[in-house]
Amino acid sequence: MSAPPPYQYQYQQPQGPPPQYQQYQQYQAPPPPRGPQRPQQGGPLRGLIAAVLVLAVFGGVGWYVYDYNTDPDGGKAKAEASRSARIEEQKTHDPQQGNCVKIEGTDDDPLPTIVDCGSPEAEYRTGKRLFGPDKECPAQYDYGIQYSSNRGGDHTMCFTEV
């Protein structure tokens, strides 16, 4: 037999698992300290109070709306009365053919007001209404008022003396 070479190494199997497979314990930080704790609020009692407040608000709004629409002396009744009064007032300044009027206001802004034809206030009787811009009253009429509107309702009202 021959002798082994002088520098030969023998391989030996390591004992236990290799170092890369060893399990390391993971470090877990302790939980952060918690601040002062409030005691838990009243649970069901708190819910009941909130429900009562919500119902009170909706009930109040509902009552206001009901009262506004049904009270004969308030809310909607006053608005309707005011609207009706404005319409009636406007009718007194919108004479139709045959109505007697007195002219109020200035020469630049005359305002015909309907009056009784037998009253001493009656100055003119309403004649024709000529539709269109810049219309002139025929010679048989004594007075005319021209109206112009942004909506295209231009017209001229013609009157004869009473």
Side-chain angles (χ1 to χ4, degrees):
M1 278 208 247
S2 67
Y7 297 108
Q8 187 175 23
Y9 294 102
Q10 289 188 354
Y11 179 74
Q12 291 183 353
Q13 183 77 13
Q15 302 295 327
Q20 68 264 25
Y21 294 115
Q22 287 180 351
Q23 292 183 352
Y24 294 101
Q25 230 181 6
Q26 288 192 335
Y27 172 75
Q28 290 184 351
R34 298 178 71 172
Q37 299 295 312
R38 291 189 305 178
Q40 291 296 326
Q41 297 295 326
L45 182 61
R46 184 177 188 182
L48 180 65
I49 290 172
V52 167
L53 287 174
V54 168
L55 287 174
V57 168
F58 279 109
V61 169
W63 177 82
Y64 175 78
V65 169
Y66 172 77
D67 186 56
Y68 179 84
N69 289 314
T70 59
D71 185 8
D73 295 328
K76 190 173 184 179
K78 284 183 180 178
E80 276 296 316
S82 174
R83 184 175 155 276
S84 296
R86 274 195 315 273
I87 290 171
E88 288 301 317
E89 174 69 22
Q90 289 172 352
K91 284 182 183 178
T92 63
H93 299 294
D94 186 25
Q96 302 302 314
Q97 189 170 4
N99 288 15
C100 291
V101 298
K102 69 177 179 175
I103 305 297
E104 299 175 325
T106 63
D107 288 340
D108 294 336
D109 189 20
L111 180 66
T113 302
I114 298 173
V115 295
D116 184 28
C117 288
S119 76
E121 292 181 315
E123 298 174 344
Y124 297 99
R125 183 178 301 271
T126 307
K128 281 189 171 184
R129 197 179 282 227
L130 307 173
F131 292 97
D134 301 325
K135 296 282 184 169
E136 295 289 329
C137 292
Q140 66 194 35
Y141 294 104
D142 300 314
Y143 186 70
I145 301 174
Q146 291 185 349
Y147 293 97
S148 62
S149 170
N150 293 346
R151 299 182 198 172
D154 298 344
H155 64 279
T156 302
M157 293 178 62
C158 301
F159 302 94
T160 56
E161 283 189 15
V162 176

